[in-house]
Amino acid sequence: VLTAGLWRLFGDHIAYNESIQIFEQLILSGINHFDLGNNYGRRPGSAEFNFGRALGPIMHLRDELIISSKAGYEMMPGPNGSGSSLKHLKSQIEASLNRINIKYLDIFYTHRFDPSCDLEVLANNLGYLYDKGYFLYVGISSYPPEALLKLIKLLNQRKIPIAALQYNISLLSLSNYNVCKECYLEWGISTISFSPLNQGILTDSYFLSTKDNKSRSKENRSTIHDKNKSLESGLKYLYEIAKSSSISIEMLAMSWLLSQDFICSLAY
């Protein structure tokens, strides 16, 4: 039901002892899905490397864990540093496996649409990596609708199993809602919603202005909504609903998402 997104939890930008304490609590709480990306962490790749360090002592639990990673965004300079070419995808999934120190990924996401790579070529590239045993299932993240639907058909033709889509869906971000639901109704492909709390806005602490200074909602460079009268009015409406039900705004937001039949997990 819950997926631990490791973009900020692991990496050289955060003290390793802090990461390991949170990781241990996640394991003890029953979380078994850990979502990474080849460029996660600062410096890029450090999230996978430090996650691999944390995984070492409990490697006997590997078969009980779902470990996913991605490639497609910029990882290094040059023409092979990003995109959907076989050169990039092969080098990056091999580097991810080495950093995490595992033999395969449960899910390997094509992280974004690459207009310079024909979708048939991409499907062939993913088929090559799947046949090599680098991953068990493919995932698709944040593709525009037309490209998403075409890629799904191409992967199905090649019998490459699709585990999930990954899209930004929340009570404040519904632009991807319909296309993800369409994929579920047409092919039974579920969606993992990332930023289910809209990077900290859909929380009591944001509404009550008690948010910690380390919150992403306090960052100058962030992708969250700008504070305005429309947002404040909507949050007040949600707060009243949550209060009448004796739950927090965050619980209301997550419960609503999980009540949607096409959403299988929330990556937070």
Side-chain angles (χ1 to χ4, degrees):
V1 174
L2 296 178
T3 296
L6 304 184
W7 178 25
R8 298 205 171 200
L9 177 56
F10 281 101
D12 292 346
H13 59 280
I14 184 172
Y16 180 70
N17 65 320
E18 293 182 25
S19 296
I20 198 68
Q21 288 175 16
I22 299 172
F23 175 69
E24 288 173 353
Q25 286 301 311
L26 290 170
I27 290 289
L28 291 173
S29 298
I31 301 296
N32 75 327
H33 185 185
F34 296 92
D35 184 67
L36 291 148
N38 64 326
N39 65 339
Y40 282 10
R42 292 296 174 265
R43 56 188 168 84
S46 60
E48 290 182 328
F49 180 78
N50 286 341
F51 175 72
R53 291 171 61 193
L55 190 63
I58 60 164
M59 193 60 78
H60 58 284
L61 297 177
R62 171 65 183 99
D63 290 342
E64 299 182 48
L65 304 179
I66 300 170
I67 301 174
S68 58
S69 194
K70 314 175 184 74
Y73 276 100
E74 286 80 7
M75 186 64 182
M76 55 189 177
N80 298 313
S82 63
S84 296
S85 69
L86 183 57
K87 173 71 172 177
H88 177 71
L89 296 181
K90 182 175 183 292
S91 67
Q92 291 310 303
I93 194 170
E94 288 176 346
S96 292
L97 293 173
N98 285 332
R99 283 190 290 264
I100 305 172
N101 194 26
I102 55 177
K103 294 181 179 179
Y104 68 92
L105 291 171
D106 294 280
I107 307 172
F108 180 57
Y109 287 92
T110 170
H111 204 174
R112 65 168 174 174
F113 174 59
D114 176 7
S116 68
C117 182
D118 187 89
L119 287 173
E120 288 205 25
V121 174
L122 170 59
N124 289 336
N125 294 343
L126 292 170
Y128 172 84
L129 299 173
Y130 173 70
D131 290 341
K132 288 287 185 181
Y134 286 137
F135 65 87
L136 303 183
Y137 308 91
V138 74
I140 307 170
S141 178
S142 303
Y143 270 55
E146 185 177 346
L148 170 65
L149 300 179
K150 183 176 179 180
L151 180 57
I152 289 174
K153 292 176 182 177
L154 291 168
L155 292 172
N156 284 340
Q157 289 170 6
R158 290 158 176 76
K159 301 188 185 309
I160 304 169
I162 303 170
L165 311 179
Q166 197 173 109
Y167 277 80
N168 183 348
I169 302 177
S170 73
L171 281 170
L172 293 179
S173 182
L174 295 172
S175 58
N176 300 309
Y177 182 96
N178 287 332
V179 68
C180 290
K181 181 154 190 166
E182 178 184 343
C183 292
Y184 178 77
L185 295 175
E186 179 73 19
W187 296 290
I189 303 170
S190 297
T191 294
I192 298 173
S193 165
F194 68 83
S195 294
L197 303 180
N198 214 262
Q199 300 186 12
I201 289 184
L202 289 168
T203 58
D204 283 356
S205 56
Y206 184 88
F207 177 80
L208 298 172
S209 299
T210 59
K211 183 68 71 175
D212 187 279
N213 285 331
K214 293 182 179 180
S215 169
R216 291 180 67 188
S217 63
K218 294 288 187 76
E219 293 181 355
N220 292 326
R221 296 180 64 188
S222 182
T223 57
I224 66 171
H225 293 278
D226 293 328
K227 205 165 188 177
N228 54 51
K229 289 185 178 180
S230 177
L231 176 63
E232 291 176 359
S233 175
L235 285 174
K236 184 178 180 181
Y237 176 70
L238 292 174
Y239 185 72
E240 290 171 352
I241 295 175
K243 190 175 180 180
S244 68
S245 303
S246 300
I247 59 175
S248 62
I249 293 178
E250 45 263 59
M251 186 59 70
L252 173 65
M254 292 192 294
S255 298
W256 178 80
L257 282 170
L258 291 171
S259 73
Q260 308 304 305
D261 53 6
F262 68 94
I263 292 180
C264 61
S265 185
L266 309 181
Y268 64 99

